[in-house]
Amino acid sequence: MRNYTSGFLYVAGGILVGAITAYIAANNAGQEALAEGSPWKSRVAALDKAAGIYVQDYYLMAGRLPLAPGQFLEASAAEDSDGNTLSASCSYDVISAGSLPQWWSVAATASGSASSKIQTVIDENTAVREADGSVRIVVSAVPQPGNWLKIASGRAVILHYAAVPFGSRGGRAPPFSIRRVGC
Amino acid sequence: MAGEPPRFPFAGWGADVLRVYWIAVLIVVAVVVHVSFVLFAPAYRFSLYAKEMAGEHGSNQFFIVDSDQQARLFPNLPRQSVVGACLYDVSAGDVAFNADLPEGFWVTTIYTLRGKPIYSVNNRQSGADAFTVSLSRAPGFIEMLLQATDKERPEIDSGWTVMSPEPMGLAIVWYPLVDAAMRQSIAQAMERSRCLAGNSAVGQ
């Protein structure tokens, strides 16, 4: 009886290991930094590589679809520009530098999973520009004047970027730096 | 001998050999479960969600996605955008996606139900806000071999043709808005688009 029980435990352990490794691989595979020193990473390039099936699963598990690689740039950031993990206990300034794509958006989620609800989205059509034409977005759990991305307090934060880069405007890496203002 | 209780099949094995055997079983089971999960589970779950999203429209019908479903499908796109979709099914024949879109910036993308984008076009690339995409099932390996030796090749429809490696998928139109108040009028204009099954629908 003991031998059958231990055999069953080995089989159950195999099922658990298989399922957990698949889930972890789908949530982590394919992320590539878009520029040296940039906190922004993208999974889109991996769609056509060996890890592509894990990237597809990342989206499908949450009922999402990846934005078409030929039309959009899509990236996410879990750290600020100084390499510190983003936290909902802190406030951040997301500031544009240089020219922006014809259309872009920045959004925030409460965790790294694709199934997390986006709190708010700011895009080219709704953003208020600074006097010099740049865009400053405040990411905070506390209401802020101007462009404000609300985040849920007490949880990890992921920022998401999407853009339609017509012509050469905007480049490949998101033209936004992420600076911690205070905690 | 008669009367003896049944013996465990591996009773004569040493403890170490038995342990190695069960670890090997664990690894094989883990690999099988891992591969099965990756290949089937997320795609199956998404197919259920896509069918739920299509709702009463069913397959091969164009519909406007409501804002909650839109936020789930594309959470990093503004909710005030208008998203139209067609759950196409080419298993029984070609499907024509007749897009009739309002003037302005839009992006149309064709996905398989595994979430792989297989075609995309925007308003600038299209050059027209009204166009037809013919969706058909990509031939399998044997079919391709037969077609290569068959002197009578099937006719290729004029216009755009997209071959899907899977029988079902989603054709998605995304139209961003400058002003949320425009959503209803843009959605009404997009509803002129059609998703029609059957070769007779191509070119309409």
Side-chain angles (χ1 to χ4, degrees):
Chain A
M1 187 61 177
R2 189 177 69 180
N3 289 325
Y4 284 111
T5 302
S6 62
F8 171 78
L9 289 175
Y10 275 100
V11 172
I15 292 172
L16 209 60
V17 167
I20 290 173
T21 54
Y23 182 82
I24 291 174
N27 274 292
N28 291 285
Q31 292 195 73
E32 300 174 356
L34 287 175
E36 194 173 335
S38 170
W40 299 98
K41 295 180 181 178
S42 175
R43 287 180 166 81
V44 171
L47 274 173
D48 291 327
K49 296 180 182 175
I53 194 162
Y54 291 108
V55 175
Q56 287 174 241
D57 286 348
Y58 167 80
Y59 287 95
L60 295 178
M61 286 193 300
R64 282 181 63 185
L65 288 172
L67 297 177
Q71 300 291 338
F72 295 92
L73 291 175
E74 188 176 7
S76 59
E79 298 174 345
D80 62 21
S81 296
D82 296 321
N84 304 309
T85 302
L86 297 178
S87 166
S89 304
C90 302
S91 296
Y92 299 89
D93 273 351
V94 180
I95 301 174
S96 71
S99 59
L100 289 169
Q102 177 163 344
W103 185 89
W104 57 268
S105 75
V106 177
T109 55
S111 77
S113 169
S115 61
S116 298
K117 263 191 195 174
I118 296 283
Q119 300 297 317
T120 46
V121 181
I122 289 177
D123 67 276
E124 164 67 27
N125 296 320
T126 57
V128 176
R129 298 255 182 172
E130 301 289 307
D132 61 359
S134 65
V135 174
R136 175 177 171 263
I137 302 169
V138 181
V139 182
S140 172
V142 177
Q144 302 288 329
N147 303 314
W148 170 49
L149 273 181
K150 177 186 170 186
I151 51 178
S153 57
R155 302 183 67 179
V157 177
I158 302 292
L159 294 178
H160 300 267
Y161 170 83
V164 177
F166 279 127
S168 59
R169 288 178 62 188
R172 194 165 166 265
F176 287 95
S177 62
I178 306 169
R179 301 291 173 195
R180 186 165 64 186
V181 174
C183 294
Chain B
M1 290 175 62
E4 285 188 2
R7 300 178 67 191
F8 182 67
F10 314 116
W13 293 21
D16 289 341
V17 174
L18 204 56
R19 190 173 299 120
V20 169
Y21 168 80
W22 283 118
I23 290 174
V25 167
L26 184 151
I27 292 171
V28 169
V29 169
V31 168
V32 169
V33 168
H34 182 107
V35 171
S36 301
F37 181 93
V38 168
L39 289 180
F40 301 114
Y44 175 71
R45 186 177 170 190
F46 183 79
S47 70
L48 293 179
Y49 172 67
K51 289 169 186 170
E52 177 195 328
M53 185 176 65
E56 60 186 17
H57 300 284
S59 58
N60 300 330
Q61 294 287 332
F62 186 81
F63 59 95
I64 301 297
V65 179
D66 75 42
S67 55
D68 284 342
Q69 290 171 333
Q70 172 187 320
R72 179 177 177 180
L73 211 54
F74 301 111
N76 49 356
L77 298 181
R79 288 183 67 149
Q80 66 187 39
S81 313
V82 181
V83 173
C86 168
L87 178 65
Y88 68 83
D89 183 351
V90 293
S91 57
D94 293 358
V95 172
F97 175 44
N98 298 330
D100 188 356
L101 306 174
E103 187 179 342
F105 170 51
W106 50 260
V107 178
T108 296
T109 308
I110 311 291
Y111 295 90
T112 67
L113 219 50
R114 276 206 59 88
K116 186 173 175 65
I118 56 176
Y119 179 79
S120 67
V121 63
N122 61 43
N123 59 309
R124 289 188 179 186
Q125 293 162 342
S126 165
D129 292 320
F131 59 91
T132 296
V133 179
S134 176
L135 301 163
S136 59
R137 183 75 193 271
F141 179 68
I142 294 176
E143 290 171 294
M144 286 172 63
L145 286 178
L146 291 174
Q147 285 177 8
T149 57
D150 189 353
K151 292 182 180 172
E152 286 188 20
R153 297 180 185 274
E155 288 185 16
I156 299 175
D157 291 322
S158 60
W160 302 335
T161 301
V162 176
M163 290 192 172
S164 172
E166 296 172 29
M168 294 186 75
L170 281 168
I172 301 282
V173 178
W174 170 69
Y175 194 109
L177 298 177
V178 174
D179 185 348
M182 296 168 57
R183 182 182 166 87
Q184 188 173 2
S185 59
I186 296 295
Q188 283 176 348
M190 281 175 64
E191 281 176 333
R192 295 192 302 254
S193 301
R194 291 287 180 267
C195 206
L196 301 167
N199 286 330
S200 58
V202 175
Q204 289 185 9

